[in-house]
Amino acid sequence: MTGADGTRIADSYRLITTLTDHRAYPAEALVRLYHERWEIESAYLALRHTLLDGRVLRSEDRPGVEQELWGLLTLYQLLRMAIVTAVETSPGTDPGRASFTTALEAARDQLPAAAGICPPGPAGLTVIGRAVLATLLPARRPRFSARKVKCATSRYLARHDGRPRAVTTITAISVTITTPPPGPPGGRPWPRPPRQNPARTGPQPPTRRQRVTALMTSEPRRDWSGRELAERLQITPRNLHTQLGEWAKLGFITRTGFATYTLNTPPSPASSTTDPDP
């Protein structure tokens, strides 16, 4: 992808699909649809915020919750069916431009009079369909930006895939299809790689937590800052701070202050000496 600011990023994907007819479903067309997988979040938004308006389910038992969920899912599906039927009457219209909120409000307006809900014929448009076509959303804008998360301690923040920090318009997208190598002759499966004997692989390198513990054990009665530990072990400070916080929650270490930690030293055993008999 090429952005308006000159940014260029690339990635590779392995396409696994049951749509094996390459004439009806070209690989390039399926690859270009890959980004639309995130649109499932629109369904969650419609159920939680548009239909429920931020309210929680009223039922306090399992049968009641199941009944409410089935009712929400049924209503959601019926509105989507009305949207698809309306969009199909206008060839070339992107279904993603149809407004779910408009369809919901049009359906609510029809409930008091219960009129105009069913079309007069197979090709007729309902009131919901006419409202959807009259308020189509703007066309999708091809744009991209760096992914962000709200959690400040997430290790995902350290990732950088070359995407711009600000939202940038995409000016060009090129897709290169690489055919995988053919399988073994005769349709036989590839031979499995030989299993490795753990006894022959040698000692495994210490984990990051083991390295941190060994360093803190060298001076157990002092407080260690995350930055100091990262410098000693040559680790990215941001990643180590996240792990130190997780280890503190699990009880492996103790947080003594802002970004400072110490080992959890076991309490000293109680004295077993007693006073001599008088």
Side-chain angles (χ1 to χ4, degrees), residues 77-107:
Q77 186 68 15
L78 289 173
L79 291 176
R80 286 297 181 189
M81 292 171 61
I83 290 173
V84 171
T85 302
V87 172
E88 287 179 346
T89 62
S90 179
T93 303
D94 183 5
R97 296 179 57 192
S99 172
F100 183 83
T101 303
T102 298
L104 176 61
E105 292 176 351

Side-chain angles (χ1 to χ4, degrees), residues 86-138:
V87 172
E88 287 179 346
T89 62
S90 179
T93 303
D94 183 5
R97 296 179 57 192
S99 172
F100 183 83
T101 303
T102 298
L104 176 61
E105 292 176 351
R108 284 173 174 169
D109 292 341
Q110 301 307 306
L111 289 179
I117 296 178
C118 297
L125 271 178
T126 63
V127 175
I128 300 175
R130 288 193 294 269
V132 167
L133 292 180
T135 58
L136 290 176
L137 301 174

Side-chain angles (χ1 to χ4, degrees), residues 15-95:
L15 180 61
I16 302 177
T17 178
T18 57
L19 305 175
T20 55
D21 187 351
H22 65 278
R23 299 178 182 85
Y25 312 103
E28 182 174 354
L30 297 180
V31 170
R32 289 181 178 273
L33 289 174
Y34 176 73
H35 68 281
E36 294 192 16
R37 71 197 187 283
W38 298 111
E39 292 187 358
I40 184 62
E41 297 180 3
S42 300
Y44 300 148
L45 179 68
L47 288 168
R48 181 178 180 181
H49 295 283
T50 308
L51 291 179
L52 286 176
D53 196 18
R55 298 186 301 270
V56 298
L57 299 179
R58 299 174 299 173
S59 302
E60 298 181 1
D61 55 5
R62 179 173 177 176
V65 170
E66 291 180 352
Q67 184 179 13
E68 287 189 74
L69 286 177
W70 277 113
L72 287 171
L73 294 174
T74 302
L75 175 59
Y76 177 84
Q77 186 68 15
L78 289 173
L79 291 176
R80 286 297 181 189
M81 292 171 61
I83 290 173
V84 171
T85 302
V87 172
E88 287 179 346
T89 62
S90 179
T93 303
D94 183 5

Side-chain angles (χ1 to χ4, degrees), residues 197-205:
N197 187 353
R200 299 180 181 178
T201 56
Q204 298 295 324

Side-chain angles (χ1 to χ4, degrees), residues 2-273:
T2 304
D5 60 348
T7 305
R8 295 176 61 88
I9 64 170
D11 208 341
S12 59
Y13 302 92
R14 175 169 294 179
L15 180 61
I16 302 177
T17 178
T18 57
L19 305 175
T20 55
D21 187 351
H22 65 278
R23 299 178 182 85
Y25 312 103
E28 182 174 354
L30 297 180
V31 170
R32 289 181 178 273
L33 289 174
Y34 176 73
H35 68 281
E36 294 192 16
R37 71 197 187 283
W38 298 111
E39 292 187 358
I40 184 62
E41 297 180 3
S42 300
Y44 300 148
L45 179 68
L47 288 168
R48 181 178 180 181
H49 295 283
T50 308
L51 291 179
L52 286 176
D53 196 18
R55 298 186 301 270
V56 298
L57 299 179
R58 299 174 299 173
S59 302
E60 298 181 1
D61 55 5
R62 179 173 177 176
V65 170
E66 291 180 352
Q67 184 179 13
E68 287 189 74
L69 286 177
W70 277 113
L72 287 171
L73 294 174
T74 302
L75 175 59
Y76 177 84
Q77 186 68 15
L78 289 173
L79 291 176
R80 286 297 181 189
M81 292 171 61
I83 290 173
V84 171
T85 302
V87 172
E88 287 179 346
T89 62
S90 179
T93 303
D94 183 5
R97 296 179 57 192
S99 172
F100 183 83
T101 303
T102 298
L104 176 61
E105 292 176 351
R108 284 173 174 169
D109 292 341
Q110 301 307 306
L111 289 179
I117 296 178
C118 297
L125 271 178
T126 63
V127 175
I128 300 175
R130 288 193 294 269
V132 167
L133 292 180
T135 58
L136 290 176
L137 301 174
R140 184 192 304 273
R141 293 175 294 170
R143 53 184 181 169
F144 68 137
S145 63
R147 296 192 62 193
K148 299 179 181 179
V149 293
K150 296 181 180 179
C151 181
T153 61
S154 173
R155 284 177 288 177
Y156 194 90
L157 295 174
R159 298 182 58 183
H160 182 63
D161 58 359
R163 298 171 184 248
R165 295 294 179 184
V167 178
T168 305
T169 303
I170 298 174
T171 58
I173 299 178
S174 60
V175 179
T176 302
I177 304 298
T178 303
T179 304
R188 294 173 295 178
W190 289 105
R192 294 183 177 180
R195 295 184 178 180
Q196 296 183 353
N197 187 353
R200 299 180 181 178
T201 56
Q204 298 295 324
T207 62
R208 179 174 293 183
R209 198 179 80 192
Q210 292 173 341
R211 295 171 60 194
V212 171
T213 303
L215 180 58
M216 298 177 74
T217 305
S218 62
E219 299 181 43
R221 299 194 178 279
R222 60 163 291 190
D223 295 343
W224 294 83
S225 68
R227 181 172 295 278
E228 184 179 6
L229 291 171
E231 292 176 353
R232 292 282 191 92
L233 301 177
Q234 297 182 351
I235 302 174
T236 305
R238 178 180 294 177
N239 294 348
L240 184 59
H241 277 298
T242 302
Q243 290 186 313
L244 289 173
E246 294 175 355
W247 295 339
K249 292 179 180 179
L250 295 175
F252 298 124
I253 58 178
T254 300
R255 182 175 180 179
T256 58
F258 179 73
T260 57
Y261 303 88
T262 186
L263 280 178
N264 285 342
T265 55
S268 58
S271 176
S272 60
T273 59

